[in-house]
Amino acid sequence: MLQVDAERTLAKSGIISGIHAKRNELHAKQLNKQVQLEKHKLAKIADVHREALLIQDDLINQAQEEFEVAKQMVEQLSVKAGMKGVIQRSSLHLGQSVSAGTELALIGSLSPLIAEIKVPQMQAHIVAAGMKAKINTVNGQILGYVVRVDPVINEGAVQVDIQLNEGVYVGVKPMQLVDATILAQVQKGVHYIKTPTGISEHSSARLFKLTEDDIATRVEVTFGKVSGQLIQVLSGLKAGDKIISSQLDIDPETQQVKLGS
């Protein structure tokens, strides 16, 4: 195009022929069209290659998905439990074939452990979630706390779930038989005695208290709450006193009895 512009001025001056200048101008236009055509072809080729790359990317993604599926199938050939624990039940034998959904084993978790305690229905009303408890096992005591009290009474008892505090417990296994002490109310300076025959909580009775001269004298004793085999003494006795806890076939008007050797 620079040459065409230069020859156009020379042709007007008569230095070169006009035909020669027109011929070069036509050739320049043809070259310009050829350049535009090649650019268009180059853009088309780029689009084709871009589409080809997208197709290859799709094929790669498809192959990756197929690989993941095959990898998952291989991993499923090795059966693993979803948690750490101990095998409680397994009915399989070597070489057995099973179908999908068949139970292979029952796994018992060791963390956290829950103790299921049966509390008599007469005492269940004082148990609430959050209370501390002591689990008695063959290997000692483990601390825990109440997490659930079953609202339903079954066979005269209420199930209380006690979660063990975090820790490593040697010798403790799932489904192990245990008993527990639930700390419903903690009181200091309270006296207890083994519950006498026929005595209920929040009552009073006249019991025989022993003295040093082997004489038993009736005293009025007021009782509070029952805790297991023990009953709280509110008044009438002090620490160290000895009483006759069994029922005696004695006239209620009798105030003192002499103990014989």
Side-chain angles (χ1 to χ4, degrees):
M1 294 304 299
L2 292 176
Q3 183 178 357
V4 169
D5 292 338
E7 289 181 351
R8 185 178 296 114
T9 302
L10 295 176
K12 290 181 179 180
S13 302
I15 298 175
I16 62 174
S17 64
I19 296 176
H20 178 76
K22 289 291 184 180
R23 185 182 300 113
N24 288 339
E25 184 178 355
L26 177 61
H27 181 63
K29 291 181 179 180
Q30 291 176 345
L31 290 177
N32 187 47
K33 289 183 179 180
Q34 185 176 355
V35 168
Q36 297 301 323
L37 179 61
E38 293 298 330
K39 288 182 177 180
H40 182 70
K41 289 170 61 179
L42 180 61
K44 288 293 184 180
I45 293 175
D47 292 339
V48 170
H49 282 289
R50 190 178 297 109
E51 291 293 334
L53 289 176
L54 293 176
I55 294 175
Q56 293 299 321
D57 289 339
D58 291 338
L59 294 176
I60 292 174
N61 293 334
Q62 182 179 352
Q64 183 67 32
E65 293 177 357
E66 293 177 354
F67 171 74
E68 294 296 333
V69 172
K71 182 179 178 181
Q72 184 178 3
M73 293 176 63
V74 172
E75 291 177 351
Q76 289 178 349
L77 295 177
S78 178
V79 179
K80 297 179 181 179
M83 61 182 180
K84 293 183 179 180
V86 296
I87 298 178
Q88 295 183 230
R89 181 178 68 244
S90 178
S91 57
L92 301 177
H93 56 80
L94 188 63
Q96 179 180 350
S97 297
V98 296
S99 57
T102 303
E103 178 183 302
L104 304 181
L106 177 64
I107 307 298
S109 174
L110 295 179
S111 177
L113 285 175
I114 298 292
E116 297 179 352
I117 305 298
K118 300 294 184 180
V119 177
Q121 60 178 346
M122 298 300 295
Q123 298 178 335
H125 67 281
I126 63 175
V127 180
M131 291 182 174
K132 296 181 179 180
K134 297 179 180 178
I135 311 299
N136 302 315
T137 68
V138 294
N139 297 315
Q141 287 189 341
I142 302 175
L143 300 180
Y145 57 94
V146 177
V147 293
R148 180 179 179 273
V149 180
D150 198 325
V152 179
I153 299 175
N154 186 13
E155 297 180 355
V158 174
Q159 178 175 310
V160 177
D161 295 343
I162 301 176
Q163 181 169 324
L164 278 60
N165 293 342
E166 294 184 1
V168 179
Y169 307 111
V170 179
V172 179
K173 299 178 176 59
M175 307 307 294
Q176 177 179 337
L177 295 179
V178 297
D179 57 16
T181 301
I182 300 175
L183 306 179
Q185 293 180 350
V186 180
Q187 297 179 342
K188 297 181 179 180
V190 178
H191 296 149
Y192 287 86
I193 63 172
K194 186 176 181 180
T195 305
T197 305
I199 300 299
S200 59
E201 64 179 6
H202 302 297
S203 64
S204 60
R206 295 179 58 81
L207 302 180
F208 283 101
K209 183 175 72 171
L210 302 180
T211 60
E212 296 180 356
D213 52 1
D214 292 333
I215 294 178
T217 304
R218 284 188 189 272
V219 294
E220 185 76 16
V221 182
T222 304
F223 299 100
K225 294 183 178 181
V226 173
S227 178
Q229 297 182 347
L230 304 178
I231 190 169
Q232 180 183 8
V233 177
L234 299 180
S235 63
L237 296 175
K238 63 180 184 298
D241 286 346
K242 297 180 180 180
I243 64 171
I244 299 175
S245 59
S246 59
Q247 288 186 344
L248 301 178
D249 189 12
I250 299 177
D251 188 346
E253 300 298 327
T254 303
Q255 300 298 316
Q256 288 185 338
V257 293
K258 176 70 175 179
L259 302 181
S261 57

